[in-house]
């Protein structure tokens, strides 16, 4: 996500999930960029489909994964049409102009959830999408000096180890990418590029091109070629694919678009994806809202699908200088019609950045400061990266400067791509762990909103990414197992989270690594045990830490007397009232 014009009020995502920043040309003069108002709609194409009617809305119909033919038939029988479907995750994108469609479908056998994805009509362009423009290209004089943001994360030093492997695919889920740009063309992977606007894959040549400037800028920070021109990306040897999830005319990123993008990423072997947006029209999706509950479920399933196929999602934290760990109000939603002020809680999620398994990125300002616009939050922010005045590629062979967590995120994606290049076969979970362990600690400034330690706090998470350190060692050599499911920890309760281990011969090692991520205020209330398959208990945390928030630590356990295969459990016992939390994730490395 990118910030509003520097010095002005910083919006989280107006007019759509991307705020408007005028890029700066290489000479420093502002380059005008026209942005549509919040309620703008894409113009109807000249050849409008006869199937489109005014009042058509989009819905997610959630079923069990597998054959959805019966539910699809029910959609047709109840005033709807199937626009696209993803049986592997049990998600159907349906269109209907009937005001009773959602209510009726919620009563159909096999339907788990139904939710509208927007509060505006589906544009007619959805049925006959116009191809984005293919801009004429400017030429750039020779020379690509190493810029401050690259030096700051030691990308220039990491290139001596690896510039990235062409076998590593990175997906840019954004407004599209100008694949003809002289600094992007050498690394562009057209075969795996697509438009997912409106929630259906459109693989026509050029459908992936930029309908704004944002995606092209992001792509350059990740992988602009090391070719003596313009700029160099963090990972200039990897391949980038454009997955346009923004709709033309307004750059809205609706849930069905993101779902299409994540499924595409999983099916096309993307090792990492960049997600510098939130899913419109809701800044936060709340599970007690029947429509937003379906959005949460649909996007969550798509993310889990992509990760199960080997893809790690990395996302921007947002630009409203908002504490994501203490949510109170949302004044920006819905942004596709008329926003209203509503009271929210931490149960309401910024999607995709707050989904389990997604790496959440905050922005640094100058050096290791917090960028003034960057969102923050204890237990939410994973890592930080430069996000102010980042110079990168723009459509038409141009270059310019933008600021925002949108600009920080591709730095982290580039580092993740270098990690994957240096460590073939590494899993998404291992990349996620490596990003955290290799980040450089940043202590809290003199700001009461920053809580935690230098090792992990609400402003910078684990710290600022370090490309050189990230490629300087190998991932854990043993087999890795993880449970990303949330388990609520109530007052004076005992809860467990299981991991089933298989395919490991013999006993567990004497150095079994137990990674624990627990979000809980006052960790002195907690006793945390690893329970072996035979019931043997190994205590890793016993009511230490006092009023400190959260446990994010890897413990070493001598489990050499235990058979490795079987169901291991993380058991958490809360021993006092007044503070609650959850097991956010945990893992085992054998």
């Amino acid at each position: 996500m990118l910030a509003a014009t520097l010095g002005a009020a910083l919006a989280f995502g107006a007019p759509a999930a991307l705020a408007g920043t005028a890029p700066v040309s290489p000479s420093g003069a502002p380059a005008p960029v026209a942005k549509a108002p919040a309620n703008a709609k894409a113009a109807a194409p000249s050849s409008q489909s006869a199937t489109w009617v005014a009042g058509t809305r989009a819905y997610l119909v959630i079923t069990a994964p597998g054959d959805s033919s019966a539910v699809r038939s029910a959609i047709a029988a109840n005033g709807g049409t199937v626009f696209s479907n993803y049986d592997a995750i049990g998600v159907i994108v349906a269109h209907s102009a009937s005001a009773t469609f959602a209510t009726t479908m919620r009563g159909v056998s096999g339907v788990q959830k139904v939710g509208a994805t927007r509060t505006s009509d589906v544009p007619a362009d959805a049925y006959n999408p116009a191809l984005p423009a293919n801009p004429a290209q400017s030429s750039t004089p020779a020379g690509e000096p190493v810029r401050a943001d690259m030096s700051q994360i030691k990308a220039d030093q990491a290139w001596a180890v690896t510039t990235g492997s062409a076998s590593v695919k990175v997906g840019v889920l954004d407004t599209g990418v100008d694949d003809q740009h002289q600094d992007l063309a050498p690394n562009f992977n057209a075969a795996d590029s697509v438009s997912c606007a409106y929630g259906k894959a459109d693989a026509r040549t050029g459908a992936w091109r930029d309908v704004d400037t944002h995606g092209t800028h992001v792509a350059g920070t990740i992988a602009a070629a090391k070719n003596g021109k313009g700029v160099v990306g963090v990972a200039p040897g990897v391949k980038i694919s454009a997955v346009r999830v923004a709709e033309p005319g307004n750059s809205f990123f609706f849930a069905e678009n993101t779902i299409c993008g994540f499924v595409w990423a999983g099916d096309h072997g993307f090792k990492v994806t960049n997600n510098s947006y939130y899913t419109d029209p809701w800044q936060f999706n709340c599970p007690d809202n029947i429509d937003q509950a379906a959005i949460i479920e649909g996007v969550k399933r798509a993310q889990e699908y992509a990760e199960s196929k080997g893809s790690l999602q990395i996302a921007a934290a947002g630009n409203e200088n908002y504490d994501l760990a203490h949510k109170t109000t949302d004044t920006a939603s819905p942004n596709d019609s008329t926003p209203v002020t509503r009271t929210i809680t931490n149960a309401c999620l910024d999607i995709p950045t707050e989904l389990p398994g997604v790496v959440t990125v905050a922005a640094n300002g100058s050096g290791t400061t917090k960028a003034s616009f960057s969102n923050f939050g204890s237990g939410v922010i994973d890592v930080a990266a430069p996000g102010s005045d980042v110079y990168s590629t723009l459509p038409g062979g141009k270059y310019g400067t933008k600021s925002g967590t949108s600009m920080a995120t591709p730095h982290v994606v580039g580092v993740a791509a270098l990690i994957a290049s240096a460590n073939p076969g590494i899993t998404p979970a291992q990349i996620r762990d490596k990003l955290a362990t290799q980040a450089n600690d940043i202590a809290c400034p003199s700001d009461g909103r920053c809580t935690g330690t230098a090792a992990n706090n609400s402003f910078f998470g684990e710290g600022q990414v370090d490309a050189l350190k990230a490629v300087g060692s190998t991932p854990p050599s043993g087999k890795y197992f993880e449970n990303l499911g949330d388990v609520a920890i109530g007052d004076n309760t005992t809860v467990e989270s299981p991991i089933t281990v298989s395919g490991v011969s013999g006993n567990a090692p004497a150095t079994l690594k137990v990674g624990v991520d627990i979000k809980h205020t006052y960790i002195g209330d907690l006793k945390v045990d690893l329970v072996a398959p035979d019931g043997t208990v190994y205590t890793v945390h016993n009511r230490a830490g006092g009023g400190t928030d959260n446990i994010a630590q890897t413990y070493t356990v001598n489990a050499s007397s235990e058979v490795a295969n079987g169901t291991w459990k993380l058991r958490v016992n809360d021993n006092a009232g007044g503070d609650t939390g959850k097991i956010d994730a945990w893992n085992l490395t054998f």
Side-chain angles (χ1 to χ4, degrees), residues 228-252:
K229 300 178 181 179
V231 297
V232 187
V234 177
V238 305
K239 292 297 183 182
I240 47 174
S241 298
V243 180
R244 179 166 66 85
V245 289
E247 298 181 6
N250 50 36
S251 290
F252 282 133

Side-chain angles (χ1 to χ4, degrees), residues 563-584:
V563 174
N565 290 335
T567 300
W568 297 72
K569 298 176 182 177
L570 190 73
R571 178 181 293 161
V572 181
N573 173 230
D574 184 294
N575 294 276
D579 292 273
T580 60
K582 65 181 179 179
I583 302 173
D584 198 31

Side-chain angles (χ1 to χ4, degrees), residues 27-79:
S27 66
V33 176
K35 291 294 292 182
N39 59 356
K41 297 178 183 177
S46 56
S47 177
Q48 181 174 305
S49 169
T51 61
W52 182 88
V53 296
T56 298
R57 296 292 171 93
Y59 300 87
L60 297 183
V61 180
I62 310 293
T63 71
D67 183 10
S68 65
S69 55
V71 173
R72 283 183 272 133
S73 295
I75 289 170
N78 288 287

Side-chain angles (χ1 to χ4, degrees), residues 23 31 33 133-138 175-182 184 209-220 392-400 402:
V33 176
N134 185 10
Q137 300 294 315
S138 302
T175 62
V177 173
D178 179 5
D179 57 301
Q180 305 296 307
H181 195 291
Q182 60 197 341
L184 300 177
R209 290 193 178 121
D210 209 332
V211 295
D212 187 81
T213 62
H214 190 267
T216 300
H217 194 277
V218 164
S392 186
T393 48
L394 294 174
K398 300 175 183 177
Y399 299 85
K402 292 180 185 285

Side-chain angles (χ1 to χ4, degrees), residues 101-492:
F101 175 77
T103 302
T104 302
M105 285 303 302
R106 289 178 187 124
V108 170
S109 176
V111 172
Q112 298 173 356
K113 288 182 171 66
V114 179
T117 65
R118 51 185 86 201
T119 63
S120 56
D121 289 358
V122 175
D125 185 63
Y127 297 93
N128 186 17
L131 288 174
N134 185 10
Q137 300 294 315
S138 302
S139 60
T140 293
E144 51 179 8
V146 176
R147 304 195 66 84
D149 55 321
M150 297 296 159
S151 297
Q152 190 168 322
I153 63 169
K154 300 180 184 174
D156 51 338
Q157 297 178 53
W159 298 332
V161 179
T162 178
T163 56
S165 168
S167 66
V168 171
K169 299 179 185 179
V170 178
V172 180
L173 277 61
D174 212 290
T175 62
V177 173
D178 179 5
D179 57 301
Q180 305 296 307
H181 195 291
Q182 60 197 341
D183 240 357
L184 300 177
N187 293 333
F188 192 79
N189 173 19
D192 292 310
S193 293
V194 72
S195 168
C196 272
Y198 313 114
K200 180 189 291 185
D202 178 357
R204 291 178 298 163
T205 298
W208 58 72
R209 290 193 178 121
D210 209 332
V211 295
D212 187 81
T213 62
H214 190 267
T216 300
H217 194 277
V218 164
T221 299
I222 298 169
K226 207 169 188 298
N227 58 359
K229 300 178 181 179
V231 297
V232 187
V234 177
V238 305
K239 292 297 183 182
I240 47 174
S241 298
V243 180
R244 179 166 66 85
V245 289
E247 298 181 6
N250 50 36
S251 290
F252 282 133
F253 296 71
F254 291 105
E256 60 267 37
N257 309 3
T258 300
I259 290 166
C260 171
F262 284 164
V263 172
W264 182 272
D267 287 342
H268 288 78
F270 295 174
K271 198 65 183 178
V272 194
T273 69
N274 189 106
N275 302 272
S276 292
Y277 61 90
Y278 70 77
T279 50
D280 297 292
W282 306 102
Q283 179 174 323
F284 300 105
N285 286 272
C286 299
D288 60 354
N289 178 287
I290 199 166
D291 293 315
Q292 293 161 42
I295 291 172
I296 294 171
E297 182 66 18
V299 179
K300 178 174 178 286
R301 288 190 188 186
Q303 193 294 117
E304 290 172 344
Y305 177 83
E307 181 159 346
S308 75
K309 296 285 190 175
S311 177
L312 175 66
Q313 279 57 252
I314 301 178
N319 304 318
E320 207 180 50
N321 193 24
Y322 191 96
D323 186 351
L324 296 174
H326 295 90
K327 301 184 183 91
T328 56
T329 56
D330 173 13
T331 61
S333 308
N335 63 1
D336 67 334
S337 54
T338 303
V340 297
T341 298
R342 57 179 181 153
T343 299
I344 62 171
T345 69
N346 284 351
C348 302
L349 301 178
D350 176 1
I351 293 175
T353 197
E354 288 192 278
L355 290 177
V358 176
V359 175
T360 303
V361 181
N364 291 123
S366 176
T368 56
T369 62
K370 173 189 175 295
S372 59
F373 50 79
S374 182
N375 285 354
F376 58 98
S378 178
V380 179
I381 302 302
D382 291 305
V383 290
S388 295
D389 298 322
V390 175
Y391 186 78
S392 186
T393 48
L394 294 174
K398 300 175 183 177
Y399 299 85
T401 299
K402 292 180 185 285
S403 293
T405 54
S406 278
M407 283 60 255
T409 303
H411 288 89
V412 179
V413 169
V415 172
L418 291 179
I419 291 172
S421 299
N423 303 286
I426 193 170
T427 68
Q430 288 173 330
I431 298 174
R432 190 164 53 239
D433 279 0
K434 200 165 179 63
L435 284 171
T437 58
Q438 297 301 312
N440 292 315
D441 293 346
I442 306 175
C444 280
S446 299
D447 188 326
R449 300 172 302 164
C450 188
T451 59
T453 64
N456 194 322
N457 59 58
S458 58
F459 274 16
F460 311 110
E462 298 279 354
Q464 188 178 86
V465 292
D466 186 316
L468 180 60
K469 287 170 63 178
V471 299
S473 60
T474 58
S477 57
K479 288 199 173 183
Y480 186 94
F481 302 87
E482 183 176 43
N483 187 337
L484 295 175
D486 290 352
V487 179
I489 305 169
D491 284 331
N492 296 296

